[in-house]
Amino acid sequence: MPSAAARRDDREATLRLRQPGGLYEIGVEDVRGRPMAVFRNRLRSLGQLLEASARFGERTYLVDGDTRITFTEHLQRVRSLAGTFRRDHGVGPGDRVAIFAANRWEWVVAFWAAVAAGAVPAGFNGWWTADEFTHATRLVEPVLVLADGPRLARVRDASYGGRVSDLGEVVAVSGRPVADTEPVVEAQEDEAALLLFTSGTTGRPKAATIPHRAVIGFVQLNQFSELTGRVALGAPVPLRAEDVAPADDVQLVTSPLFHTSMLYGAVVTGLFKGSCSVLLPGRFDPERVLAAIERERVTQWSALGSAATRLAACGALDRYDRSSMRYLGVGGAPVSPTVQQRLRDAFPGTSATVGMGYTSTEAGAVVARTGGPELAAHPTSTGRVMVTVEVELRDPEGRPVEDGCDGEVHVLSPYVMLGYWNDQAATSAALDDGGWLAMGDVARFEDGRLYINARARDLIFVNAENVAPTEVEYVLEAHPGVVEAAVLASDDEVTGDAVWAVVVADGETALGTADLTAWCRRSLAPYKVPTRWTFLDQPLPRTATGKVLKSALRGLDASG
């Protein structure tokens, strides 16, 4: 557990970073008609961030197989492609440019080129069917769709009548260097910067409209957290952006770029900090990840969803050099204390730095964060609320609850979405008149830390007693023979709901319902112990952001 002295050092470091005139001075300004706490010294748009990346010169920004792209080359390609967008495709400020492709370096160049042209890039889910693609295009009405080979076939199946181009061909043709005077279109910080789709676990995906301020806030809050740790250990307090040295981080990207975790956490953060992102496209395979870590001397990786559990259970760990790893992020879905420890064991160099953040597509920047000794001491917490962010927990009548009591999470910050594109009804349901965003999660505060219990709609009611699925999932995943587990409600004529567990075993341990029932009874009240079981021999189905698709699991036979 962090010592009192360590906590005091962190508080003092935070105050020093926020000193008047400093890099992270905080003031109150009007944000969309409301007074809010903001960082006074900040970039105002993604275009400004793009132009500022020129200072990183010949450092490597992107690695994709044998392709290596420096910051200088990236900026040249972006300027050229932005000109092509304007000249050949009629792209102008405010127009939507959809990117419908798997992870590849061209995806990143196209994203920044759309920004440079003043357009609003829309990240389309690369796994969408032709029908889902059609829904998205009707919603956001892009002037241009950029797709790769497999996605182009789906576009043809959708009989889409708009302008479509092959992503690789467009970027290749536009690869010539251009003059540095090629303009980047200016944007206001509360204008739409990009459209990102919700994971669609409850109906059709919605397009969250993200302002420039939100993405800039994400990278600033990330840097603020890092600098807090450094200053607490004696590093000087930076007063200007130029005082912060370029980062030597090498970030491995295994999750899709069309969601916030990797788009903000790697692509945008890399351009902000001067760090490198290594793209590893294709189906997730633990050995490919380990080989990439060894080959590229990866220093950090965000193991989202089932990636963490699958890699921790990989029998090939010791065949690869993992000594370069300095930071491991987890998230996308609840990660049990057992899996956290397995990851520390798998990557000893990250034993004191494993961390996680809590947010959503709609929330924009990270809402709460934890890591290192704090996470080890409180492994079921998502940490403390970030500066410039407010969190309120409310009961079903909308009243704030006391510490220690469960309530639905509501967030107020400069970084929340502008709304759902072309969906005022959904926007009104998520954002109240005061600007508070309803996250849909149930949580409680204890000693200043936020504990997420479950999605409100996922709570299980057994004889009128509440059962949080994550609590049962954590107990199951602590069993040495369980790789991962999902818990959900199943109809029961007597109790209303029954606790239903879907379990993925390691394939080596003989597991049965009697064994796991006995295991759960050691730690859980009787009404929380699963009474229905299903065993799978493959990973749990998940969204691109790592959340378990419980809607898909409900189609399984509860008898197992």
Side-chain angles (χ1 to χ4, degrees), residues 286-299:
E287 284 211 51
R288 286 185 66 225
V289 170
L290 291 167
I293 289 172
E294 178 180 273
R295 181 178 65 251
E296 300 295 340
R297 304 300 295 162
V298 169
T299 64

Side-chain angles (χ1 to χ4, degrees), residues 26-106:
I26 292 178
V28 176
E29 297 180 11
D30 182 275
V31 179
R32 299 174 229 156
R34 301 178 184 88
M36 292 191 185
V38 296
F39 293 119
R40 291 198 183 279
N41 300 307
R42 63 187 186 274
L43 297 169
R44 263 45 177 193
S45 70
L46 289 178
Q48 290 183 2
L49 190 154
L50 173 66
E51 291 185 309
S53 70
R55 73 186 181 101
F56 300 125
E58 297 308 307
R59 295 174 65 87
T60 301
Y61 173 44
L62 295 172
V63 175
D64 185 357
D66 294 331
T67 301
R68 295 176 182 269
I69 297 178
T70 66
F71 285 88
T72 296
E73 181 186 356
H74 173 259
L75 190 55
Q76 290 175 341
R77 286 182 176 276
V78 165
R79 291 182 183 277
S80 179
L81 184 56
T84 298
F85 284 166
R86 299 186 190 104
R87 183 180 60 253
D88 299 345
H89 299 282
V91 175
D95 289 336
R96 276 75 65 204
V97 174
I99 308 175
F100 189 36
N103 287 6
R104 51 193 293 183
W105 67 267
E106 293 95 337

Side-chain angles (χ1 to χ4, degrees), residues 58 83 164 200 205 213 312 326 423:
E58 297 308 307
V164 182
R213 187 194 296 270
R326 300 196 299 259
D423 195 337

Side-chain angles (χ1 to χ4, degrees), residues 436-456:
W436 288 86
L437 171 70
M439 297 285 282
D441 292 308
V442 174
R444 71 185 187 280
F445 273 117
E446 289 185 7
D447 193 25
R449 301 179 187 88
L450 187 65
Y451 290 79
I452 305 297
N453 289 350
R455 296 293 296 182

Side-chain angles (χ1 to χ4, degrees), residues 84-92 95-100 124 133 137 141-147 152 155-156 159-167 170:
T84 298
F85 284 166
R86 299 186 190 104
R87 183 180 60 253
D88 299 345
H89 299 282
V91 175
D95 289 336
R96 276 75 65 204
V97 174
I99 308 175
F100 189 36
F124 276 25
F133 168 81
T137 54
E141 300 174 307
V143 299
L144 174 64
V145 174
L146 299 169
L152 284 170
V155 172
R156 287 191 292 269
S159 300
Y160 178 61
R163 184 186 291 269
V164 182
S165 294
D166 184 291
L167 172 62
V170 169

Side-chain angles (χ1 to χ4, degrees), residues 6 10 23 25 50 90 112 117 126 176 225 236 254 257 269 293 301 337 355 372 376-377 433 471 480 490 500:
D10 281 348
L23 179 59
E25 178 187 358
L50 173 66
W112 286 112
R176 60 187 182 281
S225 294
T254 57
L257 293 174
T269 296
I293 289 172
W301 175 48
D433 293 339
E471 180 184 9
S490 179
W500 175 22

